[in-house]
């Protein structure tokens, strides 16, 4: 390759040139001498005219031997490579590289840095060959940089980071238990809600090249508590260290909780980190590897920095990446405000485990357990209805919490489904156990002075929101409850208890909640239930009784489930009986008369009761006349009036709804009927042929339309009802809604109603609740909650 051939690859005037700012022939030729030589060359020798430069490009004239001789004495390929990296035209880059004989794999991203180094080497070869040399660009481009000699550090760091300590267990090899969760371009708390592109089986090289738009050297790797940020960084470090001889890159892993303003910047911090394993490491060694772009810096735990050090960290990180633009830097962090002050970094997110990864992690963790049924047992903890948590929820797909479940699965079996103890264990791990392995580290809270104070205020937050039936929050609702707990909770330093700090603590520090789009949500609703229960466990008797009175006015549908109240009953059954159950049941069973007591039980427990009287004669007559095989008479359900009754029925394993209906002959319309019932004939099977099957389906009509002759004529969209011989719709029955206490004045109606209730099993339910009440009264004749 002659010098003119070399220059023509960059002289591309019609497409903007190969070098930004060096578009003309003169500037293209001059660029390599101005930037490829040190400052000591004799410019009187290398000073041809503009026309001579143009002839160099065209090949009509070649640089004289004296020029090449002087150039050879002052070659600086490092200087030239840096300048090339800054001015290479991205638009034409790939075409220029191809012109030098470089080939690419499908979707391979061109490496500007390696190409700049290869072109600089080519210019040196041409200069030393006095204007001619073999084309070595492709060969140089494929070369890996020579690794800097840091074998001592790598051996020491590898020996440390290849080990991990599982919660409550001895150290083990990372490779024996680590499952590499996916890394994505969008945040995800639950595996079924993942969006965007994912990186599987991540490596430093995959993080560098995942974006087809260009090389990515700066990444903030974000993940909530227990997602495995530290383990992922250890995995990335070990993989990079294993291949450092091939890549020529040198990984350095450092824990940011050890960084502070006592360091002048990151250079001495990096030196100290390496010196832990290699005392001979010097600042000049660090500068060499940083300047060559061979360093891969892995910083763990941005969220673990002292809040007062955050601004200093952000400033020094910017200085580090500005001064050494070619190094690869990975920073891990929980979601926190410190991230917002860092520019030039791509945000990537650790994802929860998918189904295959959950299975893989369980297999690895259980390999040392001598229990063939252990995996099946653990999966039973995630079964709908009977398990502790959902199988695709936060806890079951969080690597750390899943590991805790495996370590404690025998204990969880002994819990026998007790969610109180389960969430107590999970919270203890999230708030305290997660950091036990980090020496001399206590996690910073932004809104309170300690984890104990955080538990205090979060407990109150959960209790207030649970009682109001609020499980999801927009910004205004979240602030409303923050202000309520700020007024009532005594803190050692109320001045730091601010909204933004509390939001940070619940979402990032303690990881009890998470932000998504415009909302804030509990990572698992069981934590809200648990802290509601714990709040009233510690609360005084009068306030707990006030909570019970409030529950008497709350309908079942106001609550997601009964778990929170069941947890409180587990923690303190005496308190629940005295403060919640007895005040409610005392009102029901204050009557000595059994009939009145039963009717009061229904009135207090179920509001107005809905029941139906069917005309047995009219139904049988119509079925015979129309050859109907079935009469369809769905009955309305009567649900509990309030959450207390619903809880009592659930605890006693009794049906929490009932339906009432009676066949009456003859049927008489009673006062209080709300609807009359008509019906129409419908085919339900085999619509053609002799085996056709018919059913009479019922229609409810407002009682005020019963004597309205035009009502059914106006029903354009409804089936026409069955009519009698006079052409009037047949009435099959009446529907009633009554307060049971209102029936007591009419003995016959009371007897008929109780007869229906017996057939529905309602009297048996009443007797079960009454026996439970009598037992409570006997148990609670004297206790601390009176």
């Amino acid at each position: 390759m002659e010098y003119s051939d070399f220059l023509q690859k960059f002289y591309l005037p019609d497409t903007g040139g190969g070098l930004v700012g060096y578009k003309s022939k003169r500037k293209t030729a001059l660029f390599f001498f101005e930037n490829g030589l040190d400052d000591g060359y004799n410019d009187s020798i290398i000073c041809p005219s503009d026309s001579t430069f143009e002839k160099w490009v065209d090949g009509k004239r070649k640089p004289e031997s004296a020029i090449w001789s002087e150039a050879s004495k002052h070659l600086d390929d490092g200087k030239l490579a840096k300048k090339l990296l800054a001015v290479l035209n991205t638009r034409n880059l790939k075409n220029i590289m191809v012109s030098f004989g470089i080939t690419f794999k499908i979707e391979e991203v061109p490496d500007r840095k390696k190409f700049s180094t290869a072109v600089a080497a080519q210019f040196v070869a041409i200069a030393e060959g006095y204007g001619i040399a073999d084309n070595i660009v492709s060969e140089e481009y494929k070369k890996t940089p020579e690794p800097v000699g840091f074998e001592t550090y790598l051996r020491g760091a590898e020996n440390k980071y290849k080990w991990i300590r599982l919660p409550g267990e001895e150290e083990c090899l990372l490779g024996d238990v680590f499952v590499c969760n996916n890394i994505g371009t969008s945040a995800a708390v639950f595996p079924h809600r993942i969006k965007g592109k994912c990186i599987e089986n991540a490596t430093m090289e995959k993080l560098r090249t995942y974006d087809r738009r260009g090389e990515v050297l700066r990444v903030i790797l974000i993940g909530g508590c227990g997602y495995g940020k530290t383990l992922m960084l250890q995995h990335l470090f070990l993989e990079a260290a294993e291949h450092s001889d091939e890549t020529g890159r040198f990984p350095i892993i450092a824990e940011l909780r050890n960084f502070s303003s006592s360091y002048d910047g990151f250079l001495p911090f990096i030196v100290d980190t390496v010196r832990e394993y290699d005392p001979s490491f010097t600042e000049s060694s660090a500068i060499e590897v940083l300047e060559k772009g061979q360093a891969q810096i892995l910083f763990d735990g941005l969220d673990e920095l002292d809040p007062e050090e955050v601004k200093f960290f952000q400033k020094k990180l910017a200085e580090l990446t500005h001064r050494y633009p070619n190094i690869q830097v990975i920073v891990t962090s929980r979601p926190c405000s410190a991230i917002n002050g860092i520019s030039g970094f791509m945000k990537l997110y650790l994802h929860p485990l998918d189904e295959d990864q959950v299975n893989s992690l369980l297999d690895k963790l259980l390999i040392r357990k001598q229990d063939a049924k252990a995996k099946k047992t653990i999966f039973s903890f995630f079964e709908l209805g009977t398990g502790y948590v959902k199988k695709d929820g936060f806890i079951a797909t969080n690597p750390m919490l899943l590991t805790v479940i495996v370590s404690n699965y025998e204990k969880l079996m002994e819990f026998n489904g007790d969610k109180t103890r389960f969430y107590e264990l999970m919270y203890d791990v999230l708030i305290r156990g997660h950091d036990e392995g980090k020496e001399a580290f206590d996690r910073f809270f932004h809104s309170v002075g300690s984890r104990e104070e955080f538990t205090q205020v979060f407990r109150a937050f959960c209790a207030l929101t649970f009682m109001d039936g609020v499980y999801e929050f927009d910004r205004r609702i979240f602030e409303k409850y923050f202000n309520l707990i700020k007024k009532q909770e005594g803190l050692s330093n109320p001045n730091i208890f601010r909204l933004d700090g509390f939001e940070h603590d619940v979402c990032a520090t303690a990881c009890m909640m998470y932000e998504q789009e415009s909302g804030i949500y509990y990572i698992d609703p069981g934590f809200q239930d648990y802290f509601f229960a714990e709040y009233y466990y510690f609360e005084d008797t009068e306030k707990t009784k006030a909570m019970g009175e409030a529950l008497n006015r709350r309908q079942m549908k106001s609550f997601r489930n009964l778990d929170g109240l069941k947890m409180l009953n587990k923690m303190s059954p005496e308190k629940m009986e005295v403060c919640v159950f007895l005040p409610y049941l005392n009102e029901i069973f204050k009557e000595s008369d059994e009939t009145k007591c039963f009717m009061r039980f229904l009135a207090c427990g179920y509001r107005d009761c809905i029941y139906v009287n069917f005309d047995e004669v009219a139904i049988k007559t119509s079925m015979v006349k129309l050859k109907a095989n079935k009469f369809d008479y769905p009955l309305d359900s009567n649900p509990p009036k309030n959450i207390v009754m619903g809880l009592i029925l659930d605890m006693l394993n009794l049906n929490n709804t009932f339906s009432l209906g009676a066949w009456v002959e003859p049927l008489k319309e009673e006062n209080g009927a709300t609807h009359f019932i008509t019906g129409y004939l419908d085919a339900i099977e085999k619509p053609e042929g002799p085996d056709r099957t018919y059913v009479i389906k019922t229609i409810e009509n407002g009682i005020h339309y019963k004597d309205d002759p035009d009502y059914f004529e106006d029903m354009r969209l409804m089936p026409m009802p069955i009519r009698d011989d006079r052409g009037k719709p047949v009435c099959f029955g009446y529907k009633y809604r009554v307060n049971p206490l209102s029936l007591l004045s009419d003995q016959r109606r009371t007897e008929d109603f109780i007869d229906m209730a017996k057939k529905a099993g309602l009297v048996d339910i009443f007797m079960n609740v009454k026996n439970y009440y009598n037992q409570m009264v006997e148990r609670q004749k004297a206790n601390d909650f009176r």
Side-chain angles (χ1 to χ4, degrees):
M1 175 183 288
E2 293 196 5
Y3 188 49
S4 59
D5 300 327
F6 175 80
L7 292 176
Q8 286 170 16
K9 297 182 186 301
F10 297 96
Y11 177 63
L12 306 167
D14 296 335
T15 56
L19 307 171
V20 177
Y22 298 86
K23 190 175 179 181
S24 68
K25 291 180 181 179
R26 175 186 176 277
K27 287 188 174 183
T28 301
L30 184 58
F31 171 85
F32 291 94
F33 282 94
E34 284 185 333
N35 297 288
L37 308 181
D38 60 31
D39 295 335
Y41 75 89
N42 188 338
D43 57 6
S44 65
I45 298 176
I46 307 176
C47 57
S49 63
D50 290 350
S51 62
T52 302
F53 281 123
E54 292 177 3
K55 290 175 182 177
W56 284 1
V57 176
D58 295 334
K60 296 177 180 177
R61 187 169 178 177
K62 301 177 182 179
E64 297 174 359
S65 297
I67 294 176
W68 289 124
S69 178
E70 180 64 15
S72 298
K73 298 174 185 176
H74 299 280
L75 290 171
D76 188 339
D77 56 340
K79 176 184 174 184
L80 178 57
K82 285 184 180 179
K83 185 62 177 180
L84 278 166
L85 186 62
V87 301
L88 280 172
N89 190 335
T90 305
R91 177 181 175 185
N92 293 323
L93 178 61
K94 198 163 188 176
N95 289 335
I96 298 171
M97 294 173 74
V98 170
S99 73
F100 277 103
I102 297 173
T103 58
F104 295 91
K105 297 177 183 178
I106 296 174
E107 297 185 356
E108 181 181 350
V109 178
D111 189 325
R112 294 172 69 246
K113 177 181 174 297
K114 288 170 68 176
F115 181 60
S116 300
T117 302
V119 170
Q122 181 69 66
F123 178 73
V124 170
I126 290 173
E128 291 177 345
Y130 282 73
I132 190 169
D134 292 336
N135 179 5
I136 62 171
V137 172
S138 178
E139 180 184 346
E140 291 291 323
Y141 181 79
K142 292 176 182 176
K143 276 185 180 179
T144 56
E146 287 188 18
V148 182
F150 296 114
E151 290 81 4
T152 303
Y153 165 75
L154 289 179
R155 282 197 303 271
E158 283 181 281
N159 192 52
K160 174 182 178 180
Y161 291 108
K162 71 180 180 181
W163 296 95
I164 66 167
R165 186 182 299 279
L166 297 178
E169 297 193 13
E170 297 297 321
E171 281 191 330
C172 62
L173 289 171
L174 177 70
D176 288 347
V177 295
F178 178 68
V179 172
C180 189
N181 39 344
N182 296 337
I183 294 173
T185 54
S186 62
V189 179
F190 307 105
H192 57 285
R193 298 182 186 175
I194 291 173
K195 299 178 182 178
K197 182 179 178 181
C198 287
I199 303 167
E200 299 178 357
N201 300 312
T203 64
M204 294 294 285
E205 189 61 25
K206 286 185 178 180
L207 293 177
R208 179 190 288 264
T209 59
Y210 86 91
D211 192 338
R212 65 178 61 189
R213 293 172 298 180
E215 192 175 45
V216 177
L217 293 177
R218 314 275 182 265
V219 168
I220 295 181
L221 192 54
I222 303 169
C225 178
Y227 275 62
K229 298 178 294 298
T230 296
L231 299 190
M232 176 63 78
L233 216 63
Q234 288 180 226
H235 159 74
L236 294 173
F237 168 79
L238 292 171
E239 193 277 336
E242 182 182 354
H243 295 94
S244 61
D245 286 343
E246 304 164 30
T247 64
R249 299 191 178 105
F250 174 56
I252 303 171
I253 184 170
E255 297 164 358
L256 286 176
R257 64 177 179 272
N258 297 324
F259 178 75
S260 70
S261 52
S262 62
Y263 287 101
D264 184 44
F266 275 110
L267 184 60
F269 178 63
I270 290 170
V271 170
D272 274 2
T273 300
V274 177
R275 277 180 177 165
E276 183 179 352
Y277 303 102
D278 184 359
S280 66
F281 189 76
T282 64
E283 190 167 295
S284 61
S285 302
I287 292 172
E288 179 184 2
V289 74
L290 291 168
E291 286 187 340
K292 287 187 174 182
Q294 292 177 269
Q296 296 173 308
I297 310 296
L298 299 96
F299 287 140
D300 187 31
L302 169 59
D303 57 289
E304 296 174 6
L305 271 175
D306 186 326
E308 295 182 1
E309 301 284 358
V310 168
K311 288 186 178 179
F312 178 77
F313 165 82
Q314 293 167 340
K315 177 184 177 183
K316 293 303 177 181
L317 182 66
E319 290 177 1
L320 177 72
T321 55
H322 177 74
R323 183 168 182 179
Y324 307 108
N326 302 320
I327 63 173
Q328 187 176 7
V329 182
I330 311 292
V331 180
T332 65
S333 179
R334 294 185 186 186
C336 65
S337 58
I339 295 171
N340 301 329
I342 298 174
S343 59
F345 277 70
M346 178 75 73
K347 293 179 184 177
L348 295 178
Y349 300 85
L350 275 177
H351 283 172
L353 301 179
D354 61 27
E355 187 174 352
D356 290 339
Q357 290 164 345
V358 167
N359 272 291
S360 178
L361 180 57
L362 289 178
D363 288 339
K364 287 190 171 190
L365 293 171
L366 291 170
I367 198 168
R368 293 169 296 169
K369 304 282 185 181
Q370 300 300 314
D371 185 350
K373 297 181 179 179
K375 190 172 182 180
K376 184 178 180 181
T377 299
I378 290 166
F379 276 126
S380 73
F381 300 154
F382 311 141
E383 289 178 0
L384 185 64
T386 59
Y388 292 108
V389 292
K390 294 192 298 183
K391 70 175 183 178
D392 57 354
F394 176 83
I395 291 176
T397 60
N398 181 290
M400 179 185 70
L401 295 182
L402 191 58
T403 302
V404 171
I405 287 173
V406 173
S407 300
N408 294 275
Y409 80 95
E410 292 169 321
K411 184 186 297 184
L412 292 173
M413 288 174 63
E414 295 173 4
F415 288 177
N416 196 27
D418 184 352
K419 291 187 176 182
T420 307
R421 298 178 69 185
F422 176 82
Y423 282 102
E424 182 178 25
L425 174 64
M426 292 298 107
Y427 181 71
D428 186 59
V429 171
L430 284 168
I431 201 72
R432 181 178 60 83
H434 178 258
D435 296 323
E436 281 186 334
K438 299 177 180 181
E439 298 174 4
F441 174 68
D442 192 13
R443 186 168 295 278
F444 291 98
F445 285 88
H446 292 238
S447 62
V448 292
S450 66
R451 67 167 66 103
E452 290 75 20
E453 281 199 332
F454 173 78
T455 302
Q456 172 189 336
V457 295
F458 187 64
R459 187 187 289 146
F461 182 88
C462 290
L464 289 170
T465 55
F466 177 92
M467 284 300 295
D468 287 349
V470 179
Y471 314 115
E472 301 176 356
F473 306 84
D474 61 25
R475 299 292 173 185
R476 288 190 298 274
I477 295 175
F478 188 85
E479 184 174 359
K480 168 189 170 182
Y481 287 101
F482 167 78
N483 289 330
L484 288 174
I485 59 174
K486 186 174 184 178
K487 291 177 182 177
Q488 69 181 43
E489 295 302 313
L491 299 172
S492 60
N493 186 359
N495 293 328
I496 66 171
F497 191 61
R498 296 187 294 271
L499 177 63
D500 57 344
F502 180 65
E503 183 179 333
H504 179 279
D505 285 342
V506 297
C507 292
T509 311
C511 291
M512 287 287 97
M513 306 181 81
Y514 68 96
E515 296 180 70
Q516 188 165 302
E517 297 173 351
S518 59
I520 303 174
Y521 309 87
Y522 289 103
I523 57 168
D524 188 295
F527 284 111
Q528 185 191 33
D529 300 332
Y530 169 73
F531 281 113
F532 156 79
E534 197 172 64
Y535 179 85
Y536 281 103
Y537 174 83
F538 290 114
E539 196 54 270
D540 63 45
T541 301
E542 292 307 312
K543 288 185 179 179
T544 307
K545 286 184 176 180
M547 178 271 290
E549 291 176 5
L551 292 177
N552 296 345
R553 300 185 294 272
R554 298 292 301 280
Q555 296 182 34
M556 288 281 289
K557 63 183 180 181
S558 302
F559 291 86
R560 185 181 57 252
N561 54 45
L562 298 171
D563 284 358
L565 294 163
K566 288 181 180 179
M567 288 184 189
L568 179 55
N569 194 54
K570 279 279 187 181
M571 291 179 186
S572 180
E574 296 85 1
K575 196 170 194 178
M576 277 292 285
E577 288 186 357
V578 171
C579 298
V580 179
F581 295 146
L582 279 176
Y584 175 68
L585 294 176
N586 282 337
E587 286 298 307
I588 294 176
F589 295 106
K590 65 183 181 181
E591 295 281 356
S592 58
D593 181 86
E594 192 78 358
T595 299
K596 290 181 180 179
C597 192
F598 175 68
M599 293 305 223
R600 179 172 289 278
F601 168 74
L602 296 179
C604 294
Y606 298 90
R607 293 183 184 270
D608 293 344
C609 290
I610 300 172
Y611 69 93
V612 179
N613 280 342
F614 291 104
D615 188 330
E616 187 174 4
V617 173
I619 291 171
K620 288 182 178 179
T621 301
S622 295
M623 289 181 70
V624 171
K625 181 179 178 180
L626 300 171
K627 298 180 180 180
N629 305 85
K630 182 181 178 183
F631 182 80
D632 185 16
Y633 52 98
L635 296 174
D636 289 83
S637 292
N638 290 275
K641 178 179 180 179
N642 55 50
I643 193 73
V644 180
M645 178 59 78
L647 179 60
I648 291 171
L649 295 174
D650 183 87
M651 289 170 52
L652 298 177
N653 199 27
L654 300 171
N655 291 332
N656 66 356
T657 63
F658 65 88
S659 299
L660 295 176
W663 296 72
V664 180
E665 182 186 358
L667 177 70
K668 293 181 180 180
E669 179 183 345
E670 303 282 2
N671 292 332
T674 59
H675 295 79
F676 69 102
I677 299 169
T678 59
Y680 65 95
L681 193 66
D682 189 31
I684 58 172
E685 293 177 8
K686 299 180 182 179
E688 302 296 335
D691 296 328
R692 196 170 189 181
T693 301
Y694 290 97
V695 61
I696 295 176
K697 293 188 175 181
T698 55
I699 308 172
E700 293 181 4
N701 310 276
I703 194 67
H704 50 283
Y705 292 118
K706 187 168 188 305
D707 297 317
D708 184 351
D710 299 324
Y711 171 66
F712 290 100
E713 299 300 328
D714 294 337
M715 295 174 64
R716 299 284 183 261
L717 300 178
M718 296 294 290
M720 190 58 65
I722 299 166
R723 297 177 183 264
D724 61 18
D725 295 338
R726 294 172 297 171
K728 294 183 64 176
V730 176
C731 178
F732 292 119
Y734 293 99
K735 180 177 176 179
Y736 301 86
R737 180 186 292 273
V738 297
N739 184 322
L741 293 175
S742 70
L743 300 178
L744 290 172
S745 59
D746 187 328
Q747 184 177 352
R748 183 185 64 80
R749 289 190 70 188
T750 299
E751 290 173 352
D752 290 344
F753 184 87
I754 291 178
D755 186 56
M756 280 191 293
K758 285 181 179 178
K759 292 177 181 177
L762 198 53
V763 174
D764 291 338
I765 291 174
F766 164 73
M767 293 306 299
N768 274 278
V769 175
K770 185 177 181 180
N771 289 337
Y772 174 61
Y773 168 72
N774 290 333
Q775 292 167 13
M776 268 196 292
V777 171
E778 188 65 27
R779 279 196 301 268
Q780 305 302 336
K781 284 183 177 179
N783 61 46
D784 293 337
F785 300 111
R786 289 290 181 186

